[in-house]
Amino acid sequence: MHHVLNSTRPDHRFWFYDDVTQYGRTKYLNYYTPLVLLIFTVLFITYNIWKHYYYYDVLHLKQKNPIDELLYSSTDEDEQSPLINNNTITTNYVDNNCTKDALKNRHFSLEKLKSVKVNGEPHGTPEIVRRGFIEKSRIILEFFLVLSQVIIHSFILLHYVNKNPEFTQQGTITGLVEWCALFIIVSLRLANVNQNFKFINKYPGNLWSVSFINYLALFISMILPFRSIFIHHINSPISRKYYISQISINLALFLLLFFARIRNNFAIIYKTDSWITPSPEPVTSIAGFICWAWLDSFVWKAHKVSIKVKDIWGLMMQDYSFFVVKKFRYFVDHKVKRKRIFSLNLFFFFSNYLVLQCFWAFLGSVLSFIPTVVTKKDPGIC
């Protein structure tokens, strides 16, 4: 009975009356949050390393760069040979040892379609947009901010654990390990800023996304303690300085990636004709996507003059149906281990986009309730 009553005390709840409790801060925000993020980070990178090792070292699938992945075309010499020739060399169009499906794929597979127009000209010209001074400076600044977090949590572990109720041993150690993991990730990204390290490009996966998700979650987790400072529920000077430093650094890290124009890989601008304006989406930040800033110049031009066909922007390279179909065919033929119905293949092919959409929908639904929850209540009214 005593245990049950004790578990309902305010300091053993996450939320009491109008604010998060000290127990909620130390247990849920300072311990569980970095622990979950650390597990997610380790599992994500481990899974990607295992998956890519299986693809490239066991199945010996060829790794393609972003342009080749969309433009891979046939190098089959038989397809280039004329059906009728005047020389004595016989072109072998039929392999007696080839199965019916293999023979059909050899001559009619979508993967072997050339990226050309009807008149034989190239479908378009891809241009790689590399990181400039601003984008490289962004990663360098991120590196030093994450390093500062490692130093802060190391200092807390050495001097304030178990001396201040805000800093428990398990929470501080977990936070330190989490920031050490993020420091390793940002170090790898900084070392590979020019994308010239084969291992980093090939195995760990999208390290930029891992960093972004961690920074976003850690920033959100510090909002409530930051609010507690302003309503005078955290009075310890060291605790106040700690939470202010955390929300400031986490916000800076989040904004660095939120406004980054080039993310994990170099961007690709694709231009199909000399007169067409390529889509600016590949070099648009997440912030630009959310507020539709990338569309501003087109809308402003439409406001000033009447839009003509030549004013319509092109698509992103991966949005052209030709490349979508080729990627889907490659996905089904090389990455699906067993035969599945078309709808399942389609679902798994677009799974990354579906997961991202679900994440933003969930985040938006949660944020819509935050203003009513965190509003400070008046004790006189209650």
Side-chain angles (χ1 to χ4, degrees):
M1 178 65 70
H2 180 268
H3 175 73
V4 174
L5 293 175
N6 189 51
S7 64
T8 61
R9 289 172 52 190
D11 58 334
H12 280 264
R13 299 175 183 175
F14 175 77
W15 187 270
F16 178 71
Y17 189 56
D18 66 346
D19 192 21
V20 61
T21 63
Q22 184 182 82
Y23 178 83
R25 291 192 298 269
T26 58
K27 195 72 172 180
Y28 292 94
L29 301 182
N30 294 344
Y31 175 56
Y32 285 149
T33 298
L35 179 63
V36 171
L37 291 173
L38 180 62
I39 293 173
F40 158 76
T41 300
V42 172
L43 290 179
F44 178 86
I45 296 177
T46 303
Y47 169 75
N48 274 285
I49 292 176
W50 173 83
K51 181 182 72 172
H52 294 142
Y53 172 80
Y54 179 75
Y55 283 161
Y56 304 136
D57 296 275
V58 177
L59 298 181
H60 300 290
L61 297 179
K62 184 180 179 182
Q63 186 191 21
K64 298 177 173 63
N65 63 46
I67 295 180
D68 288 341
E69 189 175 358
L70 294 173
L71 291 178
Y72 41 73
S73 56
S74 173
T75 57
D76 195 331
E77 293 181 358
D78 289 349
E79 294 291 340
Q80 303 296 328
S81 303
L83 292 174
I84 301 176
N85 52 39
N86 296 324
N87 55 34
T88 58
I89 300 175
T90 302
T91 303
N92 183 22
Y93 290 101
V94 179
D95 185 355
N96 294 328
N97 297 323
C98 191
T99 64
K100 183 185 296 185
D101 290 338
L103 182 62
K104 181 179 68 174
N105 288 332
R106 180 180 177 184
H107 291 279
F108 302 105
S109 174
L110 292 171
E111 291 182 56
K112 295 183 179 293
L113 289 178
K114 294 289 187 179
S115 176
V116 295
K117 300 177 183 177
V118 177
N119 59 5
E121 295 180 355
H123 180 270
T125 304
E127 176 187 350
I128 295 180
V129 181
R130 301 180 182 274
R131 293 182 180 89
F133 174 77
I134 294 178
E135 293 301 317
K136 290 181 179 179
S137 301
R138 193 187 300 273
I139 299 179
I140 294 173
L141 180 57
E142 179 188 348
F143 173 84
F144 284 109
L145 286 174
V146 175
L147 177 61
S148 69
Q149 287 284 43
V150 174
I151 295 173
I152 290 173
H153 285 79
S154 299
F155 183 81
I156 294 293
L157 179 63
L158 294 175
H159 296 90
Y160 290 99
V161 166
N162 297 328
K163 296 179 182 178
N164 187 309
E166 291 285 343
F167 308 120
T168 62
Q169 186 174 23
Q170 62 179 7
T172 305
I173 292 176
T174 304
L176 177 59
V177 175
E178 159 74 354
W179 282 109
C180 287
L182 291 175
F183 180 73
I184 294 173
I185 291 174
V186 73
S187 299
L188 292 175
R189 290 175 45 226
L190 180 60
N192 196 40
V193 68
N194 293 318
Q195 292 189 207
N196 49 9
F197 281 87
K198 183 178 179 181
F199 177 85
I200 302 176
N201 293 327
K202 190 175 182 180
Y203 292 104
N206 195 330
L207 296 178
W208 186 94
S209 296
V210 175
S211 297
F212 178 76
I213 292 173
N214 276 272
Y215 299 155
L216 174 61
L218 290 169
F219 165 68
I220 293 175
S221 69
M222 289 294 107
I223 292 177
L224 290 177
F226 186 66
R227 173 181 176 273
S228 299
I229 293 175
F230 283 93
I231 59 178
H232 305 291
H233 287 177
I234 298 179
N235 298 315
S236 169
I238 186 62
S239 299
R240 292 169 65 92
K241 291 178 181 178
Y242 171 76
Y243 286 119
I244 291 174
S245 69
Q246 290 307 290
I247 196 168
S248 301
I249 297 175
N250 292 345
L251 176 61
L253 288 168
F254 166 69
L255 292 179
L256 281 174
L257 273 62
F258 192 56
F259 288 97
R261 296 174 67 247
I262 299 178
R263 292 176 280 278
N264 194 63
N265 298 316
F266 293 148
I268 300 175
I269 297 293
Y270 191 68
K271 196 170 185 177
T272 54
D273 295 283
S274 58
W275 51 268
I276 202 167
T277 302
S279 172
E281 292 174 84
V283 289
T284 300
S285 65
I286 294 179
F289 274 116
I290 291 177
C291 62
W292 297 91
W294 62 277
L295 202 58
D296 286 350
S297 59
F298 181 80
V299 174
W300 183 246
K301 184 173 184 178
H303 170 72
K304 294 191 296 183
V305 298
S306 298
I307 293 296
K308 300 178 181 178
V309 175
K310 65 181 182 65
D311 298 321
I312 304 298
W313 291 350
L315 300 175
M316 288 195 300
M317 189 175 185
Q318 58 266 35
D319 285 346
Y320 283 96
S321 59
F322 173 78
F323 297 123
V324 174
V325 173
K326 289 188 72 172
K327 284 191 69 176
F328 179 72
R329 184 73 262 172
Y330 180 83
F331 171 80
V332 173
D333 290 344
H334 298 282
K335 295 189 177 182
V336 176
K337 297 180 181 179
R338 58 182 182 274
K339 287 188 176 181
R340 294 188 299 220
I341 60 176
F342 174 77
S343 57
L344 279 179
N345 285 332
L346 200 64
F347 175 82
F348 284 104
F349 179 70
F350 290 107
S351 59
N352 291 339
Y353 296 99
L354 295 174
V355 170
L356 182 63
Q357 184 64 34
C358 291
F359 169 75
W360 287 118
F362 170 77
L363 185 63
S365 62
V366 171
L367 291 177
S368 63
F369 290 99
I370 286 181
T372 57
V373 173
V374 300
T375 302
K376 182 172 173 58
K377 298 177 177 62
D378 187 350
I381 296 177
C382 296

